[in-house]
Amino acid sequence: MAKKMKWHKVLENVNDLPEGRVMSANAEHQVVCLTHFEGKFSALDNRCPHQGGPLGEGSIENGLLRCPWHGWDYHPCTGLAPGYDDGVATFLTKVEDDAVYVGIEEEAPHEATISDLMAETMVNWGVTKVFGMVGHSNLGFADAMRRQEEKGKLNFYGIRHEGAAAFAASAYGKLTGKPAACFAIAGPGSTNMFTGLWDAKVDRAPILALTGQVATQVIGTGNFQEVDLVKAFGAVAEFNHATQSSSKHAELMGTAIKHAILKRDVSHLTFPDEVQELPAPENTAPGTPDGRMTPLKIAPPQESLDEALDLFKKSKKPAIIVGHGARFNMPAIIEFAESINAPVMTTFKAKGQIADNHPLGCGVLGRSGTPIASWFMNEADMLCVFGASFSNHTGITDHIPTIQVDFDPLALSKFHKIDVPVWGEISVTVDLLKKGLADKTHAVDRRAEVAKRWAIWKSEKAKRLLEDHGNGVSSIAVFEAMNKLTPENAVICADVGNNAYSLGRYFETRQHTFLMSGYLGSIGFGFPAAMGAWAAVGDSRPVIAVAGDGGFCQYLAEITTAVKYNMPIKLILLNNSELGKISKEQRAGEFDVWATELHNPNFSDYANSCGALGIRVEKKEELEDAMRRVMEHDGPAMLEIMTDVGLI
């Protein structure tokens, strides 16, 4: 049966294409080269058969249409190549009411491709947020994701730099414990994602990297944008494979996501260009996680539990330290702390996991922390550490008897001997500790002492708040204003630099969640991370990015992404025209301060030009009113604060 012809208007008015000219036009999915030659409108396949050159961008010379890429000639009406047997296909045309129409046979129903099979498997496994950039070597998989998005099963966010895509996906994984995907073309698009992928890897956040690749037949020839992506991703990816035409496609995608979730690591799949559009093998179905994942609530060995209970029973001043690895177990940990009167402090990455106004909350420990936390650590006669890595930045002492609880046995006693290492899922272990210690501890109630130490620290902060050198607003004032005006349940994404140190010291947490580039410490994390956080929480929680001028400049174009997708992210930008943390390190190392000064635009004007709200503050007295306006704005907004690099 002959296919039905469908007519498409490709030119509104015949006068829009003068005699002797050509243009490209779209007729549904068919791109045609529309020509006007010798008084006749004709339509040719736009793709030159030799190198795929766009004939509609060519020109008519000496009565022939010349391909703009390599100069091959075709007749403008018949599509034939003079002197050769080849040519390009032509399509019916007609002119009605001065408009030009092209007749195209109705398209056959879409036939599922390998990309469709894998994209649907990805969605079934719960990977429904993708950050990336569509380009020439990933178009087949992009088209499959488009179909998933049209079904309401996936959200794709087109970013301006692939590094931002990886940071956003990393932040999503840190916040939710589930992977999002970042997506790029072959070559430079893929290599741009490396920093964000390493951030996810070292902070144990699940993430899925999807990359296009040049066609298999040209791999190894030095083809344009050819990079051996499996080899390139070998160091960062726990699971790292190229998709082949003969792969078990649904199984491959499912296994990649399973590795990301269970290993809390990076999985990478790359898709050669020609594989993406191959028909899905017959009798194949998308994969699902049904029956493919085991519960992870593993109880600790009894001997380890008994040793931990014995240490607790001997202690009069136990203290609890929580790291980012305990973020999903905090209700149980706080209930346990209350039952044994133990003060609780956090690592910097775990800031906010217990509220600062909780009677046992002691704030952040370490370089970015408060004197409260360090006081209670040093006064303790026993420490119980949940989900922390003992980094130098945190400074957990090794001179006090310590219990360490972690789901990963390799994390136990990683840097030095631990008195009682306990391997087990944290919530299960906490429950067993609580039951084992019921009415069997002699711990003294430290709540009054916690309140006293907070009063001392708040008095010190009030004194620092009065400092003014006349060189800009102090960071103390910035975070004091945030203490008053930040919604209690906000997700706060911190960049790297002095802004982060000040945030750790001066911002008082309530029901907040904090995200940062922990072990990698990558500048530029803050704003892309806020995009990932928003993708996770939507409008159910406010999302705030805190960054310095050095960090924000790394990905400042992403504010246009926030505007495009109406992400109501609020950016608190501390602008001191300097890489202040580096200047401080140069002085501490007895180096000259060099190459740390910055030349900045007016960031608030930039934000306004992008379609966001931008407000600039130069005086402390203007701060609270401006911050209130930014926090209340319905949409993305930036508060640029001209700060004093010396008052952090």
Side-chain angles (χ1 to χ4, degrees), residues 205 260 439 475 522 540 571 588 595 620:
D439 301 321
S475 295
S522 179
S540 66
L571 171 63
K620 177 180 172 181

Side-chain angles (χ1 to χ4, degrees), residues 389-416:
S389 58
F390 289 76
S391 74
N392 289 335
H393 189 105
T394 302
I396 299 173
T397 181
D398 59 359
H399 300 307
I400 298 173
T402 300
I403 300 166
Q404 183 189 3
V405 181
D406 207 285
F407 88 105
D408 181 359
L410 288 176
L412 297 169
S413 305
K414 183 176 180 180
F415 296 119
H416 58 79

Side-chain angles (χ1 to χ4, degrees), residues 47-48 50-55 57-58 66-72:
R47 181 181 174 84
C48 176
H50 305 116
Q51 293 184 6
L55 296 179
E57 296 176 18
R66 177 152 291 178
C67 173
W69 281 13
H70 66 290
W72 209 265

Side-chain angles (χ1 to χ4, degrees), residues 583-595:
S583 299
K584 183 179 178 181
E585 290 175 352
Q586 287 175 327
R587 294 187 184 96
E590 300 181 0
F591 298 101
D592 289 336
V593 175
W594 181 72

Side-chain angles (χ1 to χ4, degrees), residues 182-193:
C182 48
F183 180 65
I185 65 166
S190 297
T191 59
N192 278 347
M193 297 196 299

Side-chain angles (χ1 to χ4, degrees), residues 202-379:
V202 298
D203 280 353
R204 306 300 301 273
I207 191 171
L208 177 64
L210 304 171
T211 61
Q213 179 58 293
V214 300
T216 303
Q217 66 181 10
V218 299
I219 288 178
T221 64
N223 191 68
F224 176 68
Q225 293 192 331
E226 180 196 347
V227 172
D228 187 338
L229 293 178
V230 172
K231 184 180 291 185
F233 280 74
V236 72
E238 167 69 22
F239 187 88
N240 178 32
H241 290 278
T243 306
Q244 306 296 341
S245 60
S246 57
S247 297
K248 292 185 176 180
H249 304 104
E251 190 70 14
L252 185 63
M253 177 62 78
T255 305
I257 298 171
K258 185 174 181 178
H259 272 75
I261 295 170
L262 295 182
K263 295 285 190 177
R264 300 206 312 201
D265 212 319
V266 179
S267 284
H268 168 241
L269 292 176
T270 189
F271 299 84
D273 199 11
E274 83 286 355
V275 173
Q276 297 173 46
E277 298 180 68
L278 290 176
E282 292 184 7
N283 302 316
T284 57
T288 74
D290 295 343
R292 306 303 298 272
M293 294 279 285
T294 178
L296 300 177
K297 294 187 178 297
I298 305 300
Q302 189 63 45
E303 60 188 282
S304 298
L305 182 65
D306 290 342
E307 289 180 30
L309 290 170
D310 287 343
L311 196 53
F312 265 113
K313 290 173 184 177
K314 297 174 184 176
S315 172
K316 291 185 177 181
K317 290 185 176 182
I320 292 174
I321 300 173
V322 295
H324 191 60
R327 63 196 181 280
F328 301 121
N329 309 110
M330 288 310 299
I333 292 173
I334 292 172
E335 186 177 333
F336 174 56
E338 291 169 343
S339 72
I340 61 171
N341 300 316
V344 181
M345 58 214 74
T346 78
T347 65
F348 187 27
K349 277 202 299 180
K351 182 176 175 68
Q353 288 177 200
I354 182 170
D356 286 342
N357 59 5
H358 187 282
L360 291 170
C362 299
V364 172
L365 185 66
R367 300 178 193 176
S368 303
T370 68
I372 307 163
S374 59
W375 169 274
F376 281 98
M377 179 180 70
N378 292 320
E379 288 291 309

Side-chain angles (χ1 to χ4, degrees), residues 555-630:
Y555 296 105
L556 82 169
E558 298 305 333
I559 199 166
T560 64
T561 306
V563 171
K564 176 180 178 181
Y565 295 100
N566 196 28
M567 302 176 179
I569 296 166
K570 315 308 180 193
L571 171 63
I572 307 301
L573 179 64
L574 285 69
N575 181 358
N576 55 30
S577 298
E578 187 173 332
L579 295 173
K581 179 176 179 291
I582 307 306
S583 299
K584 183 179 178 181
E585 290 175 352
Q586 287 175 327
R587 294 187 184 96
E590 300 181 0
F591 298 101
D592 289 336
V593 175
W594 181 72
T596 57
E597 71 282 357
L598 300 173
H599 176 75
N600 289 328
N602 183 310
F603 289 107
S604 58
D605 284 350
Y606 169 73
N608 285 313
S609 72
C610 292
L613 171 67
I615 300 176
R616 188 171 192 171
V617 166
E618 298 182 358
K619 298 179 180 178
K620 177 180 172 181
E621 296 73 24
E622 304 168 343
L623 186 56
E624 286 193 20
D625 181 64
M627 187 175 291
R628 185 176 291 105
R629 289 171 58 197
V630 163

